[in-house]
Amino acid sequence: LNSLPGLRPDGLRGGELYHDGQFDDARLAISLAQAMANHGGVLLNYVRVIALTKRANRVSGVRALDVETGAEFEIEAKVVINATGVFADEVRRLDNAEVAPTLAPSQGTHLVLDASFLPGEVALMVPRTDDGRVLFAIPWLGRVLVGTTDTGVSTVAAEPRPLAVEIDFLLEHAARYLAKTPTRGNVLSAFAGLRPLVKSTPIKAASRLARDHMIGVSDSGLVTIIGGKWTTFRRMAEDVIDAAVQSGGLEQRACVTENLRIPASPPHTEISVGEADVLGAVRKEMARTVEDVLARRTRTLFLDARASLEAAPQVATIMAGELGRDEQWEADQVRRFRELASGYLV
């Protein structure tokens, strides 16, 4: 109880202490993009692949859409790698419309509470809840993160939303173990993500589907990687590049990802977002929208959805000045962000 002052003592008989790692997923994604740029890679933001181009029945590149301008253009490539997570099957169908699905996406929902619900730096993990899932409450960026669920979904959404039953499940089980009972009114933000789980036959519960990654090469040479998780991203990178080298007959080179240092930047834990934060996100981190800044360059939307709504107009004004946008762009950005953030409120 000294380590977990927010734990409910009723019926407590003991526990085990172990060590684990924690990271900010959005920060790591941006750092990986910066590492790619530092090593000569070319990054395109807000560009969508709409078709695969082929030559002699082999994939020879992509046709892409610049989402900001509406312009279409083609990019030639010796090998195309489909590393699109839960959207991998959609890209595979661009290559072959009849291809069978390989993924069974699973949704995980998280709730963010004030730090007073679990003071200190030690996380709580309950290894088995009523339906066999794991429950955790983790100190996270000055808040408490409660999760998660494992709900199979039939459709893949770009912006998945927490289901009411998932929110109720998390609140009900958190109340059993926390001394301070959380309610819907205490939820600062609620968000969901999709896991690209590899399909098994017969399909079992989502929590039992494979978390490992798999790589396949189509008859036309499209290299696809599915499954996997953050903790194995370096091995995933090495394996998929090896497959691409073999598929495209490329020059063999020693892999450097195992020991490659990634530029690190500290997570943004404050709710207030200043002008320097916005300008830095635009100038150094490819931020193009208010959502970029408030969701993934800072974590304001995830830490406190209501506070992010209040910050949106100021962020839009600063970005408009830096990007040369007009008042209509500002208004559209604020409107779109409000529509997005409303899904994070409980």
Side-chain angles (χ1 to χ4, degrees), residues 271 273 278 289-291 293-294 300-301 304-320 329-341:
I271 292 300
V273 180
V278 180
T289 66
V290 169
E291 178 187 350
V293 172
L294 290 177
T300 310
L301 175 61
D304 192 324
R306 290 178 180 82
S308 74
L309 285 168
E310 296 174 2
Q314 180 187 10
V315 171
T317 298
I318 297 171
M319 294 187 74
W329 182 89
E330 283 188 53
D332 288 343
Q333 281 293 303
V334 173
R335 174 183 55 78
R336 291 176 183 178
F337 184 78
R338 284 174 174 164
E339 292 174 356
L340 171 73

PDB file of all heavy atoms in Angstrom, residues 271 273 278 289-291 293-294 300-301 304-320 329-341:
ATOM      1  N   ILE A 271      -0.902  20.674 -20.264  1.00  0.00           N
ATOM      2  CA  ILE A 271      -2.154  20.912 -20.968  1.00  0.00           C
ATOM      3  C   ILE A 271      -2.055  22.185 -21.808  1.00  0.00           C
ATOM      4  O   ILE A 271      -2.576  22.265 -22.921  1.00  0.00           O
ATOM      5  CB  ILE A 271      -3.327  21.027 -19.971  1.00  0.00           C
ATOM      6  CG1 ILE A 271      -3.565  19.660 -19.325  1.00  0.00           C
ATOM      7  CG2 ILE A 271      -4.581  21.491 -20.666  1.00  0.00           C
ATOM      8  CD1 ILE A 271      -3.907  18.561 -20.291  1.00  0.00           C
ATOM      9  N   VAL A 273      -0.664  24.752 -24.386  1.00  0.00           N
ATOM     10  CA  VAL A 273       0.138  24.649 -25.601  1.00  0.00           C
ATOM     11  C   VAL A 273       0.491  26.065 -26.041  1.00  0.00           C
ATOM     12  O   VAL A 273      -0.388  26.836 -26.433  1.00  0.00           O
ATOM     13  CB  VAL A 273      -0.632  23.913 -26.712  1.00  0.00           C
ATOM     14  CG1 VAL A 273       0.214  23.820 -27.973  1.00  0.00           C
ATOM     15  CG2 VAL A 273      -1.040  22.523 -26.246  1.00  0.00           C
ATOM     16  N   VAL A 278       3.617  25.114 -30.915  1.00  0.00           N
ATOM     17  CA  VAL A 278       2.951  25.015 -32.215  1.00  0.00           C
ATOM     18  C   VAL A 278       3.938  25.232 -33.349  1.00  0.00           C
ATOM     19  O   VAL A 278       3.981  24.450 -34.319  1.00  0.00           O
ATOM     20  CB  VAL A 278       1.790  26.027 -32.305  1.00  0.00           C
ATOM     21  CG1 VAL A 278       1.105  25.925 -33.673  1.00  0.00           C
ATOM     22  CG2 VAL A 278       0.778  25.797 -31.186  1.00  0.00           C
ATOM     23  N   THR A 289      -2.050  20.147 -39.397  1.00  0.00           N
ATOM     24  CA  THR A 289      -3.410  20.421 -38.947  1.00  0.00           C
ATOM     25  C   THR A 289      -3.416  20.651 -37.439  1.00  0.00           C
ATOM     26  O   THR A 289      -2.462  20.321 -36.727  1.00  0.00           O
ATOM     27  CB  THR A 289      -4.350  19.243 -39.257  1.00  0.00           C
ATOM     28  OG1 THR A 289      -3.946  18.097 -38.466  1.00  0.00           O
ATOM     29  CG2 THR A 289      -4.318  18.885 -40.736  1.00  0.00           C
ATOM     30  N   VAL A 290      -4.528  21.202 -36.961  1.00  0.00           N
ATOM     31  CA  VAL A 290      -4.699  21.386 -35.519  1.00  0.00           C
ATOM     32  C   VAL A 290      -4.661  20.032 -34.809  1.00  0.00           C
ATOM     33  O   VAL A 290      -4.099  19.891 -33.715  1.00  0.00           O
ATOM     34  CB  VAL A 290      -6.014  22.131 -35.228  1.00  0.00           C
ATOM     35  CG1 VAL A 290      -6.343  22.104 -33.737  1.00  0.00           C
ATOM     36  CG2 VAL A 290      -5.924  23.577 -35.722  1.00  0.00           C
ATOM     37  N   GLU A 291      -5.257  19.026 -35.433  1.00  0.00           N
ATOM     38  CA  GLU A 291      -5.210  17.682 -34.855  1.00  0.00           C
ATOM     39  C   GLU A 291      -3.776  17.203 -34.685  1.00  0.00           C
ATOM     40  O   GLU A 291      -3.422  16.610 -33.661  1.00  0.00           O
ATOM     41  CB  GLU A 291      -5.976  16.693 -35.730  1.00  0.00           C
ATOM     42  CG  GLU A 291      -5.920  15.267 -35.213  1.00  0.00           C
ATOM     43  CD  GLU A 291      -6.530  14.263 -36.161  1.00  0.00           C
ATOM     44  OE1 GLU A 291      -7.172  14.674 -37.142  1.00  0.00           O
ATOM     45  OE2 GLU A 291      -6.358  13.047 -35.926  1.00  0.00           O
ATOM     46  N   VAL A 293      -1.137  18.871 -34.040  1.00  0.00           N
ATOM     47  CA  VAL A 293      -0.502  19.526 -32.894  1.00  0.00           C
ATOM     48  C   VAL A 293      -1.106  19.055 -31.578  1.00  0.00           C
ATOM     49  O   VAL A 293      -0.381  18.707 -30.635  1.00  0.00           O
ATOM     50  CB  VAL A 293      -0.628  21.065 -33.014  1.00  0.00           C
ATOM     51  CG1 VAL A 293      -0.141  21.751 -31.731  1.00  0.00           C
ATOM     52  CG2 VAL A 293       0.178  21.555 -34.205  1.00  0.00           C
ATOM     53  N   LEU A 294      -2.414  19.029 -31.487  1.00  0.00           N
ATOM     54  CA  LEU A 294      -3.071  18.767 -30.200  1.00  0.00           C
ATOM     55  C   LEU A 294      -3.214  17.284 -29.880  1.00  0.00           C
ATOM     56  O   LEU A 294      -3.461  16.929 -28.724  1.00  0.00           O
ATOM     57  CB  LEU A 294      -4.445  19.436 -30.172  1.00  0.00           C
ATOM     58  CG  LEU A 294      -4.408  20.968 -30.101  1.00  0.00           C
ATOM     59  CD1 LEU A 294      -5.822  21.531 -30.143  1.00  0.00           C
ATOM     60  CD2 LEU A 294      -3.693  21.443 -28.840  1.00  0.00           C
ATOM     61  N   THR A 300      -2.329  16.741 -25.805  1.00  0.00           N
ATOM     62  CA  THR A 300      -3.401  17.453 -25.122  1.00  0.00           C
ATOM     63  C   THR A 300      -4.753  16.766 -25.272  1.00  0.00           C
ATOM     64  O   THR A 300      -5.511  16.628 -24.308  1.00  0.00           O
ATOM     65  CB  THR A 300      -3.496  18.899 -25.644  1.00  0.00           C
ATOM     66  OG1 THR A 300      -2.196  19.484 -25.617  1.00  0.00           O
ATOM     67  CG2 THR A 300      -4.430  19.724 -24.783  1.00  0.00           C
ATOM     68  N   LEU A 301      -5.090  16.319 -26.482  1.00  0.00           N
ATOM     69  CA  LEU A 301      -6.377  15.662 -26.705  1.00  0.00           C
ATOM     70  C   LEU A 301      -6.510  14.414 -25.856  1.00  0.00           C
ATOM     71  O   LEU A 301      -7.594  14.118 -25.346  1.00  0.00           O
ATOM     72  CB  LEU A 301      -6.522  15.308 -28.191  1.00  0.00           C
ATOM     73  CG  LEU A 301      -7.772  14.512 -28.584  1.00  0.00           C
ATOM     74  CD1 LEU A 301      -9.037  15.283 -28.251  1.00  0.00           C
ATOM     75  CD2 LEU A 301      -7.731  14.157 -30.058  1.00  0.00           C
ATOM     76  N   ASP A 304      -6.567  15.618 -21.836  1.00  0.00           N
ATOM     77  CA  ASP A 304      -7.756  16.340 -21.384  1.00  0.00           C
ATOM     78  C   ASP A 304      -8.480  16.864 -22.625  1.00  0.00           C
ATOM     79  O   ASP A 304      -8.110  17.895 -23.191  1.00  0.00           O
ATOM     80  CB  ASP A 304      -7.359  17.504 -20.465  1.00  0.00           C
ATOM     81  CG  ASP A 304      -8.557  18.112 -19.743  1.00  0.00           C
ATOM     82  OD1 ASP A 304      -9.644  18.168 -20.356  1.00  0.00           O
ATOM     83  OD2 ASP A 304      -8.410  18.525 -18.584  1.00  0.00           O
ATOM     84  N   ALA A 305      -9.513  16.161 -23.035  1.00  0.00           N
ATOM     85  CA  ALA A 305     -10.204  16.502 -24.281  1.00  0.00           C
ATOM     86  C   ALA A 305     -10.842  17.886 -24.211  1.00  0.00           C
ATOM     87  O   ALA A 305     -10.831  18.638 -25.189  1.00  0.00           O
ATOM     88  CB  ALA A 305     -11.267  15.444 -24.591  1.00  0.00           C
ATOM     89  N   ARG A 306     -11.398  18.259 -23.059  1.00  0.00           N
ATOM     90  CA  ARG A 306     -12.030  19.575 -22.935  1.00  0.00           C
ATOM     91  C   ARG A 306     -11.001  20.693 -23.057  1.00  0.00           C
ATOM     92  O   ARG A 306     -11.247  21.725 -23.687  1.00  0.00           O
ATOM     93  CB  ARG A 306     -12.781  19.669 -21.611  1.00  0.00           C
ATOM     94  CG  ARG A 306     -14.029  18.793 -21.559  1.00  0.00           C
ATOM     95  CD  ARG A 306     -14.735  18.859 -20.218  1.00  0.00           C
ATOM     96  NE  ARG A 306     -15.923  18.014 -20.208  1.00  0.00           N
ATOM     97  CZ  ARG A 306     -15.900  16.708 -19.996  1.00  0.00           C
ATOM     98  NH1 ARG A 306     -14.752  16.086 -19.776  1.00  0.00           N
ATOM     99  NH2 ARG A 306     -17.020  16.007 -20.002  1.00  0.00           N
ATOM    100  N   ALA A 307      -9.841  20.503 -22.456  1.00  0.00           N
ATOM    101  CA  ALA A 307      -8.788  21.509 -22.556  1.00  0.00           C
ATOM    102  C   ALA A 307      -8.308  21.655 -23.995  1.00  0.00           C
ATOM    103  O   ALA A 307      -7.980  22.758 -24.446  1.00  0.00           O
ATOM    104  CB  ALA A 307      -7.622  21.136 -21.636  1.00  0.00           C
ATOM    105  N   SER A 308      -8.284  20.557 -24.732  1.00  0.00           N
ATOM    106  CA  SER A 308      -7.856  20.633 -26.131  1.00  0.00           C
ATOM    107  C   SER A 308      -8.845  21.434 -26.962  1.00  0.00           C
ATOM    108  O   SER A 308      -8.458  22.155 -27.885  1.00  0.00           O
ATOM    109  CB  SER A 308      -7.680  19.219 -26.713  1.00  0.00           C
ATOM    110  OG  SER A 308      -8.929  18.590 -26.955  1.00  0.00           O
ATOM    111  N   LEU A 309     -10.140  21.331 -26.641  1.00  0.00           N
ATOM    112  CA  LEU A 309     -11.149  22.113 -27.350  1.00  0.00           C
ATOM    113  C   LEU A 309     -10.942  23.607 -27.122  1.00  0.00           C
ATOM    114  O   LEU A 309     -11.107  24.422 -28.032  1.00  0.00           O
ATOM    115  CB  LEU A 309     -12.547  21.696 -26.881  1.00  0.00           C
ATOM    116  CG  LEU A 309     -13.067  20.356 -27.405  1.00  0.00           C
ATOM    117  CD1 LEU A 309     -14.311  19.932 -26.646  1.00  0.00           C
ATOM    118  CD2 LEU A 309     -13.359  20.450 -28.894  1.00  0.00           C
ATOM    119  N   GLU A 310     -10.570  23.964 -25.914  1.00  0.00           N
ATOM    120  CA  GLU A 310     -10.332  25.373 -25.601  1.00  0.00           C
ATOM    121  C   GLU A 310      -9.095  25.895 -26.324  1.00  0.00           C
ATOM    122  O   GLU A 310      -9.041  27.072 -26.712  1.00  0.00           O
ATOM    123  CB  GLU A 310     -10.168  25.550 -24.089  1.00  0.00           C
ATOM    124  CG  GLU A 310     -11.425  25.208 -23.290  1.00  0.00           C
ATOM    125  CD  GLU A 310     -11.185  25.256 -21.792  1.00  0.00           C
ATOM    126  OE1 GLU A 310     -10.038  25.593 -21.385  1.00  0.00           O
ATOM    127  OE2 GLU A 310     -12.121  24.965 -21.026  1.00  0.00           O
ATOM    128  N   ALA A 311      -8.102  25.028 -26.526  1.00  0.00           N
ATOM    129  CA  ALA A 311      -6.852  25.457 -27.145  1.00  0.00           C
ATOM    130  C   ALA A 311      -6.937  25.528 -28.662  1.00  0.00           C
ATOM    131  O   ALA A 311      -6.118  26.201 -29.302  1.00  0.00           O
ATOM    132  CB  ALA A 311      -5.724  24.501 -26.739  1.00  0.00           C
ATOM    133  N   ALA A 312      -7.888  24.851 -29.265  1.00  0.00           N
ATOM    134  CA  ALA A 312      -7.932  24.702 -30.725  1.00  0.00           C
ATOM    135  C   ALA A 312      -7.932  26.025 -31.492  1.00  0.00           C
ATOM    136  O   ALA A 312      -7.180  26.177 -32.462  1.00  0.00           O
ATOM    137  CB  ALA A 312      -9.132  23.847 -31.119  1.00  0.00           C
ATOM    138  N   PRO A 313      -8.753  27.026 -31.134  1.00  0.00           N
ATOM    139  CA  PRO A 313      -8.748  28.270 -31.919  1.00  0.00           C
ATOM    140  C   PRO A 313      -7.395  28.970 -31.932  1.00  0.00           C
ATOM    141  O   PRO A 313      -6.953  29.458 -32.989  1.00  0.00           O
ATOM    142  CB  PRO A 313      -9.810  29.119 -31.204  1.00  0.00           C
ATOM    143  CG  PRO A 313     -10.722  28.130 -30.563  1.00  0.00           C
ATOM    144  CD  PRO A 313      -9.822  27.027 -30.107  1.00  0.00           C
ATOM    145  N   GLN A 314      -6.718  29.034 -30.781  1.00  0.00           N
ATOM    146  CA  GLN A 314      -5.409  29.688 -30.736  1.00  0.00           C
ATOM    147  C   GLN A 314      -4.390  28.929 -31.577  1.00  0.00           C
ATOM    148  O   GLN A 314      -3.595  29.529 -32.311  1.00  0.00           O
ATOM    149  CB  GLN A 314      -4.915  29.786 -29.294  1.00  0.00           C
ATOM    150  CG  GLN A 314      -3.558  30.463 -29.180  1.00  0.00           C
ATOM    151  CD  GLN A 314      -2.983  30.415 -27.773  1.00  0.00           C
ATOM    152  OE1 GLN A 314      -3.511  29.708 -26.916  1.00  0.00           O
ATOM    153  NE2 GLN A 314      -1.921  31.158 -27.532  1.00  0.00           N
ATOM    154  N   VAL A 315      -4.422  27.605 -31.495  1.00  0.00           N
ATOM    155  CA  VAL A 315      -3.499  26.792 -32.289  1.00  0.00           C
ATOM    156  C   VAL A 315      -3.740  27.016 -33.773  1.00  0.00           C
ATOM    157  O   VAL A 315      -2.798  27.165 -34.564  1.00  0.00           O
ATOM    158  CB  VAL A 315      -3.658  25.291 -31.929  1.00  0.00           C
ATOM    159  CG1 VAL A 315      -2.867  24.416 -32.901  1.00  0.00           C
ATOM    160  CG2 VAL A 315      -3.207  25.038 -30.494  1.00  0.00           C
ATOM    161  N   ALA A 316      -5.005  27.078 -34.183  1.00  0.00           N
ATOM    162  CA  ALA A 316      -5.337  27.306 -35.595  1.00  0.00           C
ATOM    163  C   ALA A 316      -4.818  28.650 -36.073  1.00  0.00           C
ATOM    164  O   ALA A 316      -4.300  28.769 -37.193  1.00  0.00           O
ATOM    165  CB  ALA A 316      -6.850  27.212 -35.794  1.00  0.00           C
ATOM    166  N   THR A 317      -4.925  29.675 -35.235  1.00  0.00           N
ATOM    167  CA  THR A 317      -4.455  31.009 -35.613  1.00  0.00           C
ATOM    168  C   THR A 317      -2.944  31.029 -35.803  1.00  0.00           C
ATOM    169  O   THR A 317      -2.424  31.593 -36.780  1.00  0.00           O
ATOM    170  CB  THR A 317      -4.865  32.041 -34.547  1.00  0.00           C
ATOM    171  OG1 THR A 317      -6.287  32.092 -34.454  1.00  0.00           O
ATOM    172  CG2 THR A 317      -4.345  33.421 -34.898  1.00  0.00           C
ATOM    173  N   ILE A 318      -2.216  30.412 -34.884  1.00  0.00           N
ATOM    174  CA  ILE A 318      -0.752  30.370 -34.985  1.00  0.00           C
ATOM    175  C   ILE A 318      -0.331  29.595 -36.230  1.00  0.00           C
ATOM    176  O   ILE A 318       0.554  30.020 -36.977  1.00  0.00           O
ATOM    177  CB  ILE A 318      -0.146  29.746 -33.717  1.00  0.00           C
ATOM    178  CG1 ILE A 318      -0.464  30.604 -32.489  1.00  0.00           C
ATOM    179  CG2 ILE A 318       1.369  29.586 -33.872  1.00  0.00           C
ATOM    180  CD1 ILE A 318      -0.095  29.949 -31.173  1.00  0.00           C
ATOM    181  N   MET A 319      -0.981  28.457 -36.476  1.00  0.00           N
ATOM    182  CA  MET A 319      -0.635  27.646 -37.639  1.00  0.00           C
ATOM    183  C   MET A 319      -0.945  28.375 -38.940  1.00  0.00           C
ATOM    184  O   MET A 319      -0.174  28.298 -39.905  1.00  0.00           O
ATOM    185  CB  MET A 319      -1.380  26.311 -37.595  1.00  0.00           C
ATOM    186  CG  MET A 319      -0.966  25.398 -36.451  1.00  0.00           C
ATOM    187  SD  MET A 319      -1.740  23.766 -36.578  1.00  0.00           S
ATOM    188  CE  MET A 319      -0.795  23.049 -37.943  1.00  0.00           C
ATOM    189  N   ALA A 320      -2.056  29.085 -38.968  1.00  0.00           N
ATOM    190  CA  ALA A 320      -2.433  29.804 -40.185  1.00  0.00           C
ATOM    191  C   ALA A 320      -1.379  30.844 -40.544  1.00  0.00           C
ATOM    192  O   ALA A 320      -1.021  31.012 -41.718  1.00  0.00           O
ATOM    193  CB  ALA A 320      -3.796  30.468 -39.999  1.00  0.00           C
ATOM    194  N   TRP A 329      -9.611  28.636 -43.584  1.00  0.00           N
ATOM    195  CA  TRP A 329      -8.849  27.444 -43.161  1.00  0.00           C
ATOM    196  C   TRP A 329      -8.874  27.317 -41.651  1.00  0.00           C
ATOM    197  O   TRP A 329      -9.069  26.221 -41.113  1.00  0.00           O
ATOM    198  CB  TRP A 329      -7.416  27.559 -43.664  1.00  0.00           C
ATOM    199  CG  TRP A 329      -6.562  26.369 -43.333  1.00  0.00           C
ATOM    200  CD1 TRP A 329      -6.396  25.236 -44.076  1.00  0.00           C
ATOM    201  CD2 TRP A 329      -5.742  26.197 -42.169  1.00  0.00           C
ATOM    202  NE1 TRP A 329      -5.524  24.365 -43.442  1.00  0.00           N
ATOM    203  CE2 TRP A 329      -5.102  24.935 -42.271  1.00  0.00           C
ATOM    204  CE3 TRP A 329      -5.475  26.984 -41.051  1.00  0.00           C
ATOM    205  CZ2 TRP A 329      -4.231  24.451 -41.295  1.00  0.00           C
ATOM    206  CZ3 TRP A 329      -4.619  26.508 -40.064  1.00  0.00           C
ATOM    207  CH2 TRP A 329      -3.995  25.240 -40.199  1.00  0.00           C
ATOM    208  N   GLU A 330      -8.681  28.442 -40.958  1.00  0.00           N
ATOM    209  CA  GLU A 330      -8.731  28.424 -39.491  1.00  0.00           C
ATOM    210  C   GLU A 330     -10.067  27.877 -39.004  1.00  0.00           C
ATOM    211  O   GLU A 330     -10.126  26.998 -38.143  1.00  0.00           O
ATOM    212  CB  GLU A 330      -8.547  29.834 -38.929  1.00  0.00           C
ATOM    213  CG  GLU A 330      -7.130  30.351 -38.930  1.00  0.00           C
ATOM    214  CD  GLU A 330      -7.038  31.670 -38.179  1.00  0.00           C
ATOM    215  OE1 GLU A 330      -7.484  31.728 -37.021  1.00  0.00           O
ATOM    216  OE2 GLU A 330      -6.521  32.650 -38.764  1.00  0.00           O
ATOM    217  N   ALA A 331     -11.155  28.421 -39.556  1.00  0.00           N
ATOM    218  CA  ALA A 331     -12.495  28.003 -39.122  1.00  0.00           C
ATOM    219  C   ALA A 331     -12.733  26.530 -39.407  1.00  0.00           C
ATOM    220  O   ALA A 331     -13.300  25.800 -38.575  1.00  0.00           O
ATOM    221  CB  ALA A 331     -13.555  28.860 -39.820  1.00  0.00           C
ATOM    222  N   ASP A 332     -12.293  26.062 -40.584  1.00  0.00           N
ATOM    223  CA  ASP A 332     -12.467  24.652 -40.936  1.00  0.00           C
ATOM    224  C   ASP A 332     -11.672  23.759 -39.985  1.00  0.00           C
ATOM    225  O   ASP A 332     -12.156  22.695 -39.579  1.00  0.00           O
ATOM    226  CB  ASP A 332     -12.015  24.410 -42.379  1.00  0.00           C
ATOM    227  CG  ASP A 332     -12.974  24.988 -43.396  1.00  0.00           C
ATOM    228  OD1 ASP A 332     -14.128  25.286 -43.016  1.00  0.00           O
ATOM    229  OD2 ASP A 332     -12.567  25.141 -44.564  1.00  0.00           O
ATOM    230  N   GLN A 333     -10.458  24.168 -39.654  1.00  0.00           N
ATOM    231  CA  GLN A 333      -9.627  23.374 -38.759  1.00  0.00           C
ATOM    232  C   GLN A 333     -10.251  23.248 -37.372  1.00  0.00           C
ATOM    233  O   GLN A 333     -10.273  22.173 -36.783  1.00  0.00           O
ATOM    234  CB  GLN A 333      -8.236  24.000 -38.659  1.00  0.00           C
ATOM    235  CG  GLN A 333      -7.340  23.703 -39.834  1.00  0.00           C
ATOM    236  CD  GLN A 333      -6.977  22.245 -39.911  1.00  0.00           C
ATOM    237  OE1 GLN A 333      -6.420  21.679 -38.972  1.00  0.00           O
ATOM    238  NE2 GLN A 333      -7.305  21.600 -41.025  1.00  0.00           N
ATOM    239  N   VAL A 334     -10.756  24.358 -36.854  1.00  0.00           N
ATOM    240  CA  VAL A 334     -11.390  24.331 -35.531  1.00  0.00           C
ATOM    241  C   VAL A 334     -12.631  23.452 -35.558  1.00  0.00           C
ATOM    242  O   VAL A 334     -12.870  22.649 -34.647  1.00  0.00           O
ATOM    243  CB  VAL A 334     -11.736  25.761 -35.062  1.00  0.00           C
ATOM    244  CG1 VAL A 334     -12.558  25.721 -33.770  1.00  0.00           C
ATOM    245  CG2 VAL A 334     -10.458  26.572 -34.857  1.00  0.00           C
ATOM    246  N   ARG A 335     -13.431  23.577 -36.622  1.00  0.00           N
ATOM    247  CA  ARG A 335     -14.648  22.754 -36.728  1.00  0.00           C
ATOM    248  C   ARG A 335     -14.300  21.271 -36.782  1.00  0.00           C
ATOM    249  O   ARG A 335     -14.915  20.450 -36.081  1.00  0.00           O
ATOM    250  CB  ARG A 335     -15.434  23.161 -37.982  1.00  0.00           C
ATOM    251  CG  ARG A 335     -16.651  22.281 -38.275  1.00  0.00           C
ATOM    252  CD  ARG A 335     -17.333  22.681 -39.568  1.00  0.00           C
ATOM    253  NE  ARG A 335     -16.426  22.682 -40.700  1.00  0.00           N
ATOM    254  CZ  ARG A 335     -16.034  21.569 -41.340  1.00  0.00           C
ATOM    255  NH1 ARG A 335     -16.476  20.381 -40.954  1.00  0.00           N
ATOM    256  NH2 ARG A 335     -15.203  21.657 -42.375  1.00  0.00           N
ATOM    257  N   ARG A 336     -13.324  20.913 -37.611  1.00  0.00           N
ATOM    258  CA  ARG A 336     -12.950  19.503 -37.734  1.00  0.00           C
ATOM    259  C   ARG A 336     -12.389  18.957 -36.427  1.00  0.00           C
ATOM    260  O   ARG A 336     -12.669  17.815 -36.043  1.00  0.00           O
ATOM    261  CB  ARG A 336     -11.918  19.348 -38.853  1.00  0.00           C
ATOM    262  CG  ARG A 336     -12.473  19.594 -40.240  1.00  0.00           C
ATOM    263  CD  ARG A 336     -11.373  19.509 -41.293  1.00  0.00           C
ATOM    264  NE  ARG A 336     -11.875  19.817 -42.618  1.00  0.00           N
ATOM    265  CZ  ARG A 336     -11.131  19.851 -43.708  1.00  0.00           C
ATOM    266  NH1 ARG A 336      -9.836  19.580 -43.627  1.00  0.00           N
ATOM    267  NH2 ARG A 336     -11.677  20.141 -44.874  1.00  0.00           N
ATOM    268  N   PHE A 337     -11.605  19.787 -35.738  1.00  0.00           N
ATOM    269  CA  PHE A 337     -11.042  19.297 -34.481  1.00  0.00           C
ATOM    270  C   PHE A 337     -12.130  19.116 -33.431  1.00  0.00           C
ATOM    271  O   PHE A 337     -12.095  18.155 -32.657  1.00  0.00           O
ATOM    272  CB  PHE A 337      -9.957  20.249 -33.966  1.00  0.00           C
ATOM    273  CG  PHE A 337      -9.299  19.729 -32.720  1.00  0.00           C
ATOM    274  CD1 PHE A 337      -8.334  18.727 -32.801  1.00  0.00           C
ATOM    275  CD2 PHE A 337      -9.657  20.201 -31.469  1.00  0.00           C
ATOM    276  CE1 PHE A 337      -7.742  18.211 -31.659  1.00  0.00           C
ATOM    277  CE2 PHE A 337      -9.073  19.692 -30.323  1.00  0.00           C
ATOM    278  CZ  PHE A 337      -8.108  18.699 -30.414  1.00  0.00           C
ATOM    279  N   ARG A 338     -13.101  20.016 -33.406  1.00  0.00           N
ATOM    280  CA  ARG A 338     -14.195  19.867 -32.441  1.00  0.00           C
ATOM    281  C   ARG A 338     -14.987  18.586 -32.704  1.00  0.00           C
ATOM    282  O   ARG A 338     -15.406  17.906 -31.761  1.00  0.00           O
ATOM    283  CB  ARG A 338     -15.111  21.085 -32.499  1.00  0.00           C
ATOM    284  CG  ARG A 338     -14.499  22.315 -31.813  1.00  0.00           C
ATOM    285  CD  ARG A 338     -15.339  23.560 -31.992  1.00  0.00           C
ATOM    286  NE  ARG A 338     -14.790  24.673 -31.217  1.00  0.00           N
ATOM    287  CZ  ARG A 338     -15.115  25.936 -31.391  1.00  0.00           C
ATOM    288  NH1 ARG A 338     -16.002  26.275 -32.330  1.00  0.00           N
ATOM    289  NH2 ARG A 338     -14.573  26.880 -30.647  1.00  0.00           N
ATOM    290  N   GLU A 339     -15.198  18.270 -33.966  1.00  0.00           N
ATOM    291  CA  GLU A 339     -15.885  17.018 -34.298  1.00  0.00           C
ATOM    292  C   GLU A 339     -15.085  15.820 -33.812  1.00  0.00           C
ATOM    293  O   GLU A 339     -15.640  14.855 -33.288  1.00  0.00           O
ATOM    294  CB  GLU A 339     -16.105  16.936 -35.810  1.00  0.00           C
ATOM    295  CG  GLU A 339     -17.109  17.950 -36.342  1.00  0.00           C
ATOM    296  CD  GLU A 339     -17.187  17.933 -37.853  1.00  0.00           C
ATOM    297  OE1 GLU A 339     -16.390  17.184 -38.492  1.00  0.00           O
ATOM    298  OE2 GLU A 339     -18.016  18.668 -38.430  1.00  0.00           O
ATOM    299  N   LEU A 340     -13.761  15.886 -34.005  1.00  0.00           N
ATOM    300  CA  LEU A 340     -12.893  14.797 -33.538  1.00  0.00           C
ATOM    301  C   LEU A 340     -12.897  14.685 -32.032  1.00  0.00           C
ATOM    302  O   LEU A 340     -13.100  13.601 -31.467  1.00  0.00           O
ATOM    303  CB  LEU A 340     -11.460  15.040 -34.045  1.00  0.00           C
ATOM    304  CG  LEU A 340     -10.387  14.123 -33.482  1.00  0.00           C
ATOM    305  CD1 LEU A 340     -10.518  12.724 -34.082  1.00  0.00           C
ATOM    306  CD2 LEU A 340      -9.000  14.683 -33.749  1.00  0.00           C
ATOM    307  N   ALA A 341     -12.654  15.803 -31.342  1.00  0.00           N
ATOM    308  CA  ALA A 341     -12.522  15.788 -29.884  1.00  0.00           C
ATOM    309  C   ALA A 341     -13.793  15.376 -29.178  1.00  0.00           C
ATOM    310  O   ALA A 341     -13.745  14.846 -28.065  1.00  0.00           O
ATOM    311  CB  ALA A 341     -12.061  17.167 -29.399  1.00  0.00           C
TER     312      ALA A 341
END
